[in-house]
Amino acid sequence: MGSHPCSYIREDLISLCCRRTMQPRCGVSVCHVLVLVLCLSAAEDFDWTKNNHGSFYYGTFPTGFSWGAGGSAYQTEGAWDKDGKGLSIWDVFSHKKGKIQLNDTGDSSCESYYKIKDDISLMKEIRLNHHRFSISWPRIIPTGVKSDHVNGKGIQYYDELIDHLLENHITPIVTLYHWDLPQVLQEKYGGWQNISMVNHFNDFANLCFEKFGDRVKHWITFNNPWSVAVEGYETGEHAPGLKLRGTGAYRAAHHIIKAHAKVWHAYDTQWRGKQKGLVGISLSGDWGEPVDISNQKDIEAAERYVQFYLGWFATPVFHGDYPQVMKDFVGRKSVQQGLGTSRLPAFSSQEKSYIKGTCDFLGIGHFTTRYITHRNDPTGRSSNSYFTDRDLAELVDPRWPDPGSEWLYSVPWGFRRLLNFVKTQYGNPMIYVTENGVSEKMMCTELCDEWRIQYYKDYINEMLKAIRDGVNVKGYTAWSLLDKFEWDEGYSERFGLYYVDFRNKNKPRYPKASVQFYKRIISSNGFPNQREVENWRRKAVEMCSSSNQLLAAARRKSKEHAEMPKVWPVHDEV
Ligand code: NOJ
């Protein structure tokens, strides 16, 4: 990045009093507008005071760069109670009234369980190199306890999926835990609050290595453990819906990290020799940028934001322990609250060395960025929480585009910053981007998704710049292949490259314009030149109008069908 003179810019930032998955958009839900002063600095090396956005970079990715798209079991499979599958915490949670938008569930979702071939032909259409999916633990071990019962039909489903992918030259990247814990383990032991999950998860993982490891070479132990811990056990917005503020998330994370390390070691000692695969973890992280880069307090607050998010999990797996700043802040607040020990659990020295280095590659899920400023949060017992432990406030720039989910602002430069942060903090590990993409709201059944084209174009370009900065990114996964069940948001937020008509029981898929655009990026392995890239965009948008027509016609047909009287009126017979 080149340097440029430090310039002062006046910015109106909106304070985010709400968090991710929060309620109404902040502009509406009363957050105050702050007028702040920003300074872009001229420092040469990566540091908190340097943020040079630069212009669009035309160029290609390294040879062999892997392009993919993803989804996860509960979000896409459907068939929630079919062929011997056990219940997961998401099956139970989504069936409770008031937990999910419109009380939707993942019961049938995209019915991907029945559409292996159809979905693989969609992947072939884009020429994907890899597909990321997750294995539903209760589908193959219904109670979660391996010694109880292994469900052959579940194994058969994943066998078929993997075989068909490989027959079509698509590499499977497989996540073991994308949030669907077997319900029995929640009821009996309290789920991730309980250390016994470590052994049960290890048994499940080893079963997967045994059954599928001859063909699967990229394993992800956990997807986004931050969400599991914070949204599952702190705020309760996600399954299992517990609100154990100030302690639940830390405890869940502690057990998840131990479970990850155990599985990595099991693979390393028992399977790696013959299977020759890799085991990583997929962490999600929003970028946090200091509001005022000339203010040391803001710089420290931004670093805390990232350390409490990505660093919470990445620092243990790369360096053996939690980030120092988490230990300091949670420890200090715990003392102020009159507690004898920190709410953040501690690893023993044996555990530290066991956990350190348990990551063959790092999966990164990234969607958005926040501006961060320092704020002293209260420390009373009643204000115990992961969020207040950080002493910071999150802000957004109202000019950032936000086409879909309330929390998702498009800030491409944050992606490059995050990737460079990973490089410098964790010794330049091998990275697969495991999730990146943007949603749209339910009311827009718009297949001509120009904003998604723009998002992908800019975020992928920032990733290319990061690779030029020396970040070791090996692959990229667009999130997601299909519209799908979006957790507590139900079907109201659509991330797919393909539109799914959930109202039709066959769940037909229709390509959005972004399919064509992403396909071009893949076939050129990057961005050749401005004229071509502009042409791709134009053609993609032109082509999508025919898909729009198809969808509209199908809709009309099903509406007519629905409106057709089931019994002819009596007077017709007369
Ligand atoms: C991260 C989760 O892993 C994924 O399941 C979800 O669809 C995306 N965030 C978008 O919210």
mmCIF file of all heavy atoms in Angstrom, residues 4 49 66 155 162 168 183 225 318 340 373 413 417 423 425 462 472 505 534:
data_model
loop_
_atom_site.group_PDB
_atom_site.id
_atom_site.type_symbol
_atom_site.label_atom_id
_atom_site.label_comp_id
_atom_site.label_asym_id
_atom_site.label_seq_id
_atom_site.Cartn_x
_atom_site.Cartn_y
_atom_site.Cartn_z
ATOM 1 N N HIS A 4 0.078 8.132 1.957
ATOM 2 C CA HIS A 4 -0.448 9.419 1.523
ATOM 3 C C HIS A 4 -0.585 10.297 2.745
ATOM 4 O O HIS A 4 -0.614 9.822 3.867
ATOM 5 C CB HIS A 4 -1.781 9.259 0.788
ATOM 6 C CG HIS A 4 -2.849 8.693 1.644
ATOM 7 N ND1 HIS A 4 -3.602 9.452 2.490
ATOM 8 C CD2 HIS A 4 -3.247 7.421 1.808
ATOM 9 C CE1 HIS A 4 -4.448 8.672 3.125
ATOM 10 N NE2 HIS A 4 -4.245 7.436 2.739
ATOM 11 N N THR A 49 -2.935 2.243 12.621
ATOM 12 C CA THR A 49 -3.108 3.620 12.174
ATOM 13 C C THR A 49 -3.057 3.752 10.659
ATOM 14 O O THR A 49 -3.039 4.842 10.129
ATOM 15 C CB THR A 49 -2.030 4.526 12.782
ATOM 16 O OG1 THR A 49 -0.764 4.064 12.325
ATOM 17 C CG2 THR A 49 -2.095 4.516 14.290
ATOM 18 N N SER A 66 -8.678 -22.033 -5.088
ATOM 19 C CA SER A 66 -9.907 -22.826 -5.106
ATOM 20 C C SER A 66 -11.147 -21.939 -4.889
ATOM 21 O O SER A 66 -11.220 -21.196 -3.912
ATOM 22 C CB SER A 66 -9.823 -23.898 -4.013
ATOM 23 O OG SER A 66 -10.897 -24.786 -4.145
ATOM 24 N N ILE A 155 -25.300 -42.070 7.178
ATOM 25 C CA ILE A 155 -23.965 -42.270 6.594
ATOM 26 C C ILE A 155 -24.101 -42.380 5.069
ATOM 27 O O ILE A 155 -23.325 -41.776 4.320
ATOM 28 C CB ILE A 155 -23.319 -43.576 7.135
ATOM 29 C CG1 ILE A 155 -23.251 -43.557 8.666
ATOM 30 C CG2 ILE A 155 -21.976 -43.843 6.464
ATOM 31 C CD1 ILE A 155 -22.065 -42.882 9.278
ATOM 32 N N ILE A 162 -20.735 -36.997 -1.066
ATOM 33 C CA ILE A 162 -19.287 -36.896 -1.287
ATOM 34 C C ILE A 162 -18.906 -37.551 -2.614
ATOM 35 O O ILE A 162 -18.141 -36.987 -3.416
ATOM 36 C CB ILE A 162 -18.524 -37.537 -0.102
ATOM 37 C CG1 ILE A 162 -18.753 -36.712 1.169
ATOM 38 C CG2 ILE A 162 -17.040 -37.693 -0.410
ATOM 39 C CD1 ILE A 162 -18.395 -37.424 2.468
ATOM 40 N N ASN A 168 -17.770 -35.292 -9.936
ATOM 41 C CA ASN A 168 -17.873 -34.057 -10.725
ATOM 42 C C ASN A 168 -16.700 -33.108 -10.482
ATOM 43 O O ASN A 168 -16.783 -31.926 -10.795
ATOM 44 C CB ASN A 168 -19.203 -33.371 -10.426
ATOM 45 C CG ASN A 168 -20.352 -34.136 -11.034
ATOM 46 O OD1 ASN A 168 -20.545 -34.111 -12.249
ATOM 47 N ND2 ASN A 168 -21.084 -34.874 -10.219
ATOM 48 N N GLN A 183 -30.099 -33.031 20.364
ATOM 49 C CA GLN A 183 -30.919 -32.523 21.470
ATOM 50 C C GLN A 183 -30.704 -33.313 22.758
ATOM 51 O O GLN A 183 -30.725 -32.753 23.857
ATOM 52 C CB GLN A 183 -32.397 -32.550 21.040
ATOM 53 C CG GLN A 183 -33.392 -32.202 22.128
ATOM 54 C CD GLN A 183 -33.312 -30.739 22.586
ATOM 55 O OE1 GLN A 183 -32.653 -29.911 21.954
ATOM 56 N NE2 GLN A 183 -33.968 -30.439 23.694
ATOM 57 N N PRO A 225 -17.616 -20.661 16.160
ATOM 58 C CA PRO A 225 -17.914 -20.940 17.561
ATOM 59 C C PRO A 225 -18.325 -19.688 18.339
ATOM 60 O O PRO A 225 -18.977 -19.790 19.380
ATOM 61 C CB PRO A 225 -16.611 -21.530 18.107
ATOM 62 C CG PRO A 225 -15.552 -21.166 17.128
ATOM 63 C CD PRO A 225 -16.220 -20.993 15.809
ATOM 64 N N PHE A 318 -3.572 -20.994 17.887
ATOM 65 C CA PHE A 318 -2.241 -20.704 17.352
ATOM 66 C C PHE A 318 -1.198 -20.509 18.450
ATOM 67 O O PHE A 318 -0.046 -20.881 18.285
ATOM 68 C CB PHE A 318 -2.273 -19.474 16.430
ATOM 69 C CG PHE A 318 -2.922 -19.777 15.118
ATOM 70 C CD1 PHE A 318 -4.197 -19.324 14.826
ATOM 71 C CD2 PHE A 318 -2.266 -20.559 14.162
ATOM 72 C CE1 PHE A 318 -4.820 -19.638 13.621
ATOM 73 C CE2 PHE A 318 -2.864 -20.884 12.954
ATOM 74 C CZ PHE A 318 -4.158 -20.414 12.681
ATOM 75 N N GLY A 340 -14.449 -14.415 43.103
ATOM 76 C CA GLY A 340 -13.140 -14.924 43.503
ATOM 77 C C GLY A 340 -12.253 -15.283 42.331
ATOM 78 O O GLY A 340 -11.027 -15.180 42.399
ATOM 79 N N THR A 373 -15.081 2.645 19.079
ATOM 80 C CA THR A 373 -14.546 3.677 19.960
ATOM 81 C C THR A 373 -14.561 3.170 21.409
ATOM 82 O O THR A 373 -15.350 2.284 21.747
ATOM 83 C CB THR A 373 -15.355 4.990 19.810
ATOM 84 O OG1 THR A 373 -14.685 6.033 20.528
ATOM 85 C CG2 THR A 373 -16.763 4.871 20.359
ATOM 86 N N TRP A 413 -13.008 -2.902 2.280
ATOM 87 C CA TRP A 413 -11.634 -2.721 2.758
ATOM 88 C C TRP A 413 -11.402 -3.394 4.107
ATOM 89 O O TRP A 413 -10.282 -3.741 4.462
ATOM 90 C CB TRP A 413 -11.224 -1.241 2.796
ATOM 91 C CG TRP A 413 -12.147 -0.321 3.549
ATOM 92 C CD1 TRP A 413 -13.087 0.501 3.002
ATOM 93 C CD2 TRP A 413 -12.226 -0.119 4.974
ATOM 94 N NE1 TRP A 413 -13.746 1.197 3.989
ATOM 95 C CE2 TRP A 413 -13.238 0.845 5.207
ATOM 96 C CE3 TRP A 413 -11.541 -0.641 6.056
ATOM 97 C CZ2 TRP A 413 -13.579 1.283 6.497
ATOM 98 C CZ3 TRP A 413 -11.883 -0.212 7.344
ATOM 99 C CH2 TRP A 413 -12.890 0.732 7.554
ATOM 100 N N ARG A 417 -8.142 -5.731 5.691
ATOM 101 C CA ARG A 417 -7.556 -5.417 7.004
ATOM 102 C C ARG A 417 -7.569 -6.662 7.895
ATOM 103 O O ARG A 417 -6.594 -6.976 8.557
ATOM 104 C CB ARG A 417 -8.356 -4.308 7.683
ATOM 105 C CG ARG A 417 -8.466 -3.021 6.880
ATOM 106 C CD ARG A 417 -7.324 -2.086 7.047
ATOM 107 N NE ARG A 417 -7.343 -1.391 8.317
ATOM 108 C CZ ARG A 417 -6.239 -0.921 8.897
ATOM 109 N NH1 ARG A 417 -5.061 -1.122 8.333
ATOM 110 N NH2 ARG A 417 -6.324 -0.255 10.032
ATOM 111 N N LYS A 423 -2.652 -12.569 9.233
ATOM 112 C CA LYS A 423 -1.273 -12.851 8.809
ATOM 113 C C LYS A 423 -0.269 -12.433 9.888
ATOM 114 O O LYS A 423 0.626 -13.200 10.257
ATOM 115 C CB LYS A 423 -0.988 -12.097 7.504
ATOM 116 C CG LYS A 423 0.450 -12.173 7.063
ATOM 117 C CD LYS A 423 0.687 -11.328 5.824
ATOM 118 C CE LYS A 423 2.154 -10.988 5.724
ATOM 119 N NZ LYS A 423 2.398 -9.656 5.224
ATOM 120 N N GLN A 425 -0.792 -11.686 13.138
ATOM 121 C CA GLN A 425 -0.986 -12.200 14.503
ATOM 122 C C GLN A 425 -0.672 -13.677 14.654
ATOM 123 O O GLN A 425 -0.276 -14.120 15.714
ATOM 124 C CB GLN A 425 -2.450 -11.995 14.928
ATOM 125 C CG GLN A 425 -2.848 -10.567 15.100
ATOM 126 C CD GLN A 425 -2.452 -10.015 16.454
ATOM 127 O OE1 GLN A 425 -2.758 -10.598 17.479
ATOM 128 N NE2 GLN A 425 -1.753 -8.904 16.444
ATOM 129 N N GLU A 462 -10.644 -7.141 -2.667
ATOM 130 C CA GLU A 462 -9.861 -6.843 -1.455
ATOM 131 C C GLU A 462 -9.090 -8.086 -1.014
ATOM 132 O O GLU A 462 -7.979 -7.986 -0.492
ATOM 133 C CB GLU A 462 -10.775 -6.353 -0.328
ATOM 134 C CG GLU A 462 -11.375 -4.984 -0.571
ATOM 135 C CD GLU A 462 -10.339 -3.867 -0.705
ATOM 136 O OE1 GLU A 462 -9.376 -3.840 0.076
ATOM 137 O OE2 GLU A 462 -10.505 -3.023 -1.604
ATOM 138 N N ASN A 472 -1.748 -15.628 3.050
ATOM 139 C CA ASN A 472 -1.726 -16.949 2.408
ATOM 140 C C ASN A 472 -3.149 -17.522 2.237
ATOM 141 O O ASN A 472 -3.512 -18.492 2.889
ATOM 142 C CB ASN A 472 -0.866 -17.862 3.291
ATOM 143 C CG ASN A 472 -0.614 -19.207 2.663
ATOM 144 O OD1 ASN A 472 -0.845 -19.403 1.472
ATOM 145 N ND2 ASN A 472 -0.146 -20.152 3.474
ATOM 146 N N LYS A 505 -43.605 -26.463 -2.981
ATOM 147 C CA LYS A 505 -43.096 -27.566 -2.158
ATOM 148 C C LYS A 505 -41.933 -28.318 -2.817
ATOM 149 O O LYS A 505 -41.183 -29.024 -2.151
ATOM 150 C CB LYS A 505 -44.222 -28.494 -1.716
ATOM 151 C CG LYS A 505 -44.769 -29.458 -2.716
ATOM 152 C CD LYS A 505 -45.733 -30.390 -1.979
ATOM 153 C CE LYS A 505 -46.381 -31.457 -2.854
ATOM 154 N NZ LYS A 505 -46.076 -31.510 -4.256
ATOM 155 N N GLU A 534 -16.713 -5.044 -16.543
ATOM 156 C CA GLU A 534 -17.943 -4.262 -16.719
ATOM 157 C C GLU A 534 -18.926 -5.017 -17.636
ATOM 158 O O GLU A 534 -20.126 -5.068 -17.395
ATOM 159 C CB GLU A 534 -17.581 -2.873 -17.275
ATOM 160 C CG GLU A 534 -18.729 -1.897 -17.441
ATOM 161 C CD GLU A 534 -19.746 -1.896 -16.293
ATOM 162 O OE1 GLU A 534 -19.352 -2.037 -15.101
ATOM 163 O OE2 GLU A 534 -20.946 -1.773 -16.597
#
